[in-house]
DNA sequence: TGGCCTATACTCTAAATTGGAGTAAAAGCT
DNA sequence: AGCTTTTACTCCAATTTAGAGTATAGGCCA
């Protein structure tokens, strides 16, 4: 068993740092902590707590309810120290899995109904996540959240979550609206309008003067910064 | 070798559907197609084209430049058909890896400089990705993009990419600004202001009347829709 | 013209990770 | 008393990652 700590290790340490949990609870409650920003298989969490415990970063205590045992983990000083040291290391970049975009790309070989259904699904997913975000917001406003004493930090996370999901929802809305104006999924007469839309996108482009020396492809490919995961 | 097609299979099929590629080019150019929305190991792409070729969904032709061979893949009718059928299936939900949020969560055990450095890194990553987005925009405006005839579809993807990254960048900006107003990372006097910030987040909360029957935790956990990956 | 560096074009594999099946007891519900 | 759901995990086959390794081609410079 490797001694190498991964981001998953730190996600577990960070959640256990809040208060002790049985692994089952830890896994169930991950949705309120890091499932949305660091989704991992449940079995990976069970594996991780055992590993961290063997390394002395967590302290596992067996409890019994009748014949059924459970292990409740708490963080050790060594575990907290590991977290602290991690904060000095470079962060790994934002990444996403967004299958819907591949479907949008090949949408013209299917039907309008199919791409509309896909976008509806994405919008509904975003709305469901926003509903959850609203619940968390409500808990803080009522003062009943587990991490109530940490609102000043948690507010930053809730802000991110809600902003991101609102962006996704807004994109599905305007994309659906655009597609609804189409008679079919052929390019006929749509590209000119699309170029205007692209022109209005809120991102700067370089002057042609500056672009003249075409950069080699390796400079185009975003690469990770040195020493980053 | 399993015959089961994965989202990675469709990402490869979709890119090869644009025009034939050698595997090396396919892998290099993924950044312009699906690397940002479906990031996978390069070796996984090499494995996938061979598998798809063996299944008859891609057609691989060996070419030679001196002693060095390369295989150029094109999509077959069967491959296009597989893509078409896939469009009728349910889409898998949006997911992200955002390690920085775990660091924000435990920021108080570290220093202000550390969390500021993390947020700077996230902002710089977002800016780098936006710069790339600006390049793609520019290519379309100049009419020199490989998928120029598909601007009406590609515009939707570019819109998503730029919106999302702008959201991430804006969040890092206001979060950095907030943290800069802090003397230290302790909760002292910060929670009240944070509650006000949470109150203003653009997401609805339920009336307490409707929340009265507290839903069981399984209803709180967002679960995937039936039949979804 | 030879030497060096970079780009092309992959293969291979140990280790990590996923996803789900399986086991079993407790708690709730009817 | 019997059934379903929840708690509380373990186990493992199959997949996936990350990087090391191999080899040729092409460009550049002295």
């Amino acid at each position: 068993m490797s001694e190498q700590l991964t981001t998953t290790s730190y996600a577990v340490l960070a959640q256990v740092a809040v208060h002790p949990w049985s692994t089952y609870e830890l896994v169930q409650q991950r949705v309120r902590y890091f499932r949305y920003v660091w989704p991992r298989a449940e079995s990976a969490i069970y594996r991780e707590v055992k590993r961290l415990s063997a390394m002395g970063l967590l302290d596992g205590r067996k409890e019994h309810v009748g014949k059924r045992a459970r292990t409740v983990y708490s963080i050790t000083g060594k575990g907290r120290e590991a977290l602290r040291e991690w904060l000095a290391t470079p962060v790994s970049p934002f990444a996403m899995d967004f299958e819907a975009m591949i479907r949008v790309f090949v949408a013209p070989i299917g039907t309008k109904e199919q791409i509309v259904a896909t976008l509806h699904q994405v919008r509904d997913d975003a709305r469901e996540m926003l509903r959850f975000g609203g619940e968390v917001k409500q808990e803080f406003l009522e003062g009943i959240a587990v991490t109530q004493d940490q609102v000043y930090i948690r507010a930053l996370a809730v802000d991110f979550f809600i902003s991101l999901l609102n962006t996704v929802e807004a994109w599905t809305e305007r994309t659906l609206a655009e597609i609804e104006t189409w008679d079919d999924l052929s390019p006929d007469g749509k590209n000119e309008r699309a170029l205007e839309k692209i022109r209005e996108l809120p991102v700067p482009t370089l002057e042609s003067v500056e672009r003249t020396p075409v950069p080699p492809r390796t400079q185009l490919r975003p690469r990770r910064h040195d020493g980053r995961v």
Side-chain angles (χ1 to χ4, degrees), chain A residues 165-176:
Chain A
L165 271 301
N166 273 326
T167 298
V168 172
E169 201 210 355
W171 174 80
T172 59
E173 291 284 18
R174 66 177 175 272
T175 302
L176 278 165

Side-chain angles (χ1 to χ4, degrees), chain A residues 109-172:
Chain A
I109 71 167
T111 69
K112 183 171 157 180
E113 286 67 36
Q114 287 170 346
I115 192 62
V116 165
T118 291
L119 290 168
H120 275 141
Q121 192 57 68
V122 172
R123 189 188 57 186
D124 293 350
D125 286 351
R127 285 188 180 161
E128 168 59 25
M129 288 165 85
L130 279 168
R131 200 196 49 71
F132 174 73
E135 262 179 33
V136 172
K137 169 180 173 178
Q138 182 72 24
E139 285 172 15
F140 278 109
L141 291 182
E142 289 181 22
I144 59 171
V146 173
T147 51
Q148 193 70 33
D149 56 324
Q150 298 272 314
V151 205
Y152 74 115
I153 290 292
R154 300 290 265 119
L156 308 175
V158 180
D159 178 12
F160 177 85
F161 186 76
I162 288 171
S163 302
L164 200 88
L165 271 301
N166 273 326
T167 298
V168 172
E169 201 210 355
W171 174 80
T172 59

Side-chain angles (χ1 to χ4, degrees), chain A residues 30-31 34-35 60 70 94 101-102 108 115 121-122 128 161 172 176 178 181 190 196 207 209 212 214 222 228:
Chain A
R30 253 174 61 77
V31 69
F34 306 120
R35 188 183 294 169
R70 66 176 197 166
F94 177 90
M101 199 51 80
I102 309 172
I115 192 62
Q121 192 57 68
V122 172
E128 168 59 25
F161 186 76
T172 59
L176 278 165
E178 172 71 16
T181 71
K190 301 191 183 79
E196 269 323 296
E207 302 309 309
V209 180
T212 311
V214 173
R228 301 178 67 202

Side-chain angles (χ1 to χ4, degrees), chain A residues 26-219:
Chain A
L26 182 82
V27 166
Q28 298 307 310
Q29 292 301 308
R30 253 174 61 77
V31 69
R32 298 190 170 274
Y33 291 84
F34 306 120
R35 188 183 294 169
Y36 283 122
V37 291
W38 200 256
R40 289 302 179 265
E42 298 195 353
S43 58
I45 308 301
Y46 278 95
R47 194 194 320 115
E48 197 61 35
V49 286
K50 283 198 226 168
R51 204 170 71 101
L52 293 172
S53 176
M55 289 168 70
L57 307 184
L58 291 182
D59 176 34
R61 285 168 196 278
K62 269 261 172 66
E63 290 186 356
H64 283 272
V65 184
K67 285 188 179 182
R68 197 171 60 190
R70 66 176 197 166
T71 313
V72 174
Y73 291 93
S74 34
I75 195 164
T76 64
K78 209 172 149 192
R80 220 172 280 273
E81 192 45 44
L83 266 180
R84 201 190 322 275
E85 282 165 23
W86 175 58
L87 291 177
T89 66
V91 66
S92 81
F94 177 90
M96 60 182 142
D97 276 11
F98 191 43
E99 192 198 84
M101 199 51 80
I102 309 172
R103 289 173 189 255
V104 167
F105 192 92
V106 293
I109 71 167
T111 69
K112 183 171 157 180
E113 286 67 36
Q114 287 170 346
I115 192 62
V116 165
T118 291
L119 290 168
H120 275 141
Q121 192 57 68
V122 172
R123 189 188 57 186
D124 293 350
D125 286 351
R127 285 188 180 161
E128 168 59 25
M129 288 165 85
L130 279 168
R131 200 196 49 71
F132 174 73
E135 262 179 33
V136 172
K137 169 180 173 178
Q138 182 72 24
E139 285 172 15
F140 278 109
L141 291 182
E142 289 181 22
I144 59 171
V146 173
T147 51
Q148 193 70 33
D149 56 324
Q150 298 272 314
V151 205
Y152 74 115
I153 290 292
R154 300 290 265 119
L156 308 175
V158 180
D159 178 12
F160 177 85
F161 186 76
I162 288 171
S163 302
L164 200 88
L165 271 301
N166 273 326
T167 298
V168 172
E169 201 210 355
W171 174 80
T172 59
E173 291 284 18
R174 66 177 175 272
T175 302
L176 278 165
E178 172 71 16
I179 291 176
E180 291 300 352
T181 71
W182 297 351
D183 290 329
D184 54 42
L185 299 183
S186 77
D188 309 340
K190 301 191 183 79
N191 281 340
E192 201 147 338
R193 178 182 157 86
L195 270 178
E196 269 323 296
K197 294 247 172 194
I198 283 198
R199 196 183 305 278
E200 285 156 23
L201 290 180
V203 73
T205 49
L206 295 173
E207 302 309 309
S208 52
V209 180
E210 294 179 60
R211 275 183 317 94
T212 311
V214 173
R217 206 172 316 165
T218 39
Q219 284 184 30

